[in-house]
Amino acid sequence: NAGVMQNPRHLVRRRGQEARLRCSPMKGHSHVYWYRQLPEEGLKFMVYLQKENIIDESGMPKERFSAEFPKEGPSILRIQQVVRGDSAAYFCASSPNRVPDTQYFGPGTRLTVL
Amino acid sequence: KNEVEQSPQNLTAQEGEFITINCSYSVGISALHWLQQHPGGGIVSLFMLSSGKKKHGRLIATINIQEKHSSLHITASHPRDSAVYICAVAPGTASKLTFGTGTRLQVTL
């Protein structure tokens, strides 16, 4: 059973470009979480999705950020018009059930905005 | 004040020492998680607890719900245990995690 997969592992964008981060949960997992780790800071919750639904987006910045988890395919975290402050490691985690359950983390995508 | 506080922030130990990392939280929770973040950045889930104690190999995690406190113990520490250990809680009935700032552990020979 493959673990949580994220791609790309490293992404470099110039200010104003768009960044698309992908997350494929573990087989059988329908719950996906996105977390962000800013340089020298702790992890922060961004959004929680179940297939085709956003359950909790209370940690998402109001502008430029969006997330989806379609019926088919990976979950996507999209950042439009990136700024230097978006440079961070973005981790995806998945779980088979809602609460409480172990969350399995992907390797992360390290986004650098030039 | 953060909802999740860890201590110590940094810890250096010699190989073989018994290590304790503490986590206190201020909200009602459905579960508490201990995570390990490797120097390369990857995150591994070590334990999920809602009561009592769990053991896996040389790692032991305990939680006291009444005191809102958890500890992670490492017995017979080894340099490969060097990592950042992160405490995280699922507040209330929420699924999302709220994280402590982590404890950076360095185990030397």
Side-chain angles (χ1 to χ4, degrees):
Chain A
N1 190 4
V4 178
M5 293 192 287
Q6 289 188 250
N7 66 79
R9 295 289 304 275
H10 299 273
L11 182 61
V12 179
R13 284 287 178 266
R14 297 192 180 278
R15 281 178 297 170
Q17 291 184 320
E18 179 179 286
R20 280 188 183 230
L21 288 62
R22 294 173 194 79
C23 168
S24 296
M26 287 180 70
K27 189 176 180 181
H29 289 195
S30 60
H31 300 260
V32 165
Y33 309 82
W34 285 94
Y35 300 100
R36 179 165 68 173
Q37 188 172 40
L38 293 167
E40 304 303 320
E41 292 190 20
L43 288 150
K44 295 280 195 296
F45 167 78
M46 297 185 76
V47 63
Y48 162 38
L49 309 104
Q50 203 177 349
K51 280 285 186 182
E52 299 185 273
N53 289 306
I54 296 174
I55 308 299
D56 183 347
E57 57 182 345
S58 58
M60 288 274 271
K62 292 288 185 282
E63 297 176 351
R64 302 187 297 107
F65 285 73
S66 63
E68 63 176 7
F69 189 15
K71 189 176 179 181
E72 302 290 338
S75 176
I76 306 283
L77 179 67
R78 183 180 176 210
I79 312 173
Q80 295 179 287
Q81 299 175 313
V82 296
V83 300
R84 289 223 174 101
D86 297 332
S87 295
Y90 292 82
F91 290 93
C92 161
S94 74
S95 69
N97 299 304
R98 186 165 175 164
V99 279
D101 212 336
T102 298
Q103 294 185 19
Y104 297 86
F105 284 77
T109 293
R110 277 140 191 86
L111 172 66
T112 301
V113 180
L114 301 177
Chain B
K1 190 181 190 303
N2 292 333
E3 288 183 339
V4 184
E5 299 275 357
Q6 284 186 240
S7 64
Q9 285 191 308
N10 294 283
L11 183 55
T12 301
Q14 284 201 314
E15 185 177 11
E17 285 187 14
F18 180 84
I19 287 161
T20 296
I21 299 169
N22 295 300
C23 175
S24 295
Y25 54 93
S26 57
V27 296
I29 65 171
S30 56
L32 181 143
H33 300 246
W34 281 102
L35 309 170
Q36 180 192 53
Q37 187 166 27
H38 299 293
I43 298 172
V44 175
S45 178
L46 299 175
F47 294 104
M48 187 189 71
L49 295 160
S50 52
S51 65
K53 176 180 175 178
K54 286 190 177 180
K55 184 177 190 291
H56 182 70
R58 295 180 295 106
L59 301 178
I60 303 166
T62 63
I63 187 168
N64 185 319
I65 296 293
Q66 286 74 31
E67 294 188 2
K68 292 187 168 62
H69 181 269
S70 176
S71 293
L72 176 69
H73 306 286
I74 305 175
T75 62
S77 59
H78 190 276
R80 66 175 174 265
D81 297 326
S82 298
V84 176
Y85 291 83
I86 303 168
C87 172
V89 301
T93 57
S95 300
K96 64 186 180 185
L97 297 180
T98 299
F99 299 85
T101 52
T103 295
R104 188 175 299 274
L105 171 65
Q106 181 75 37
V107 181
T108 59
L109 292 169

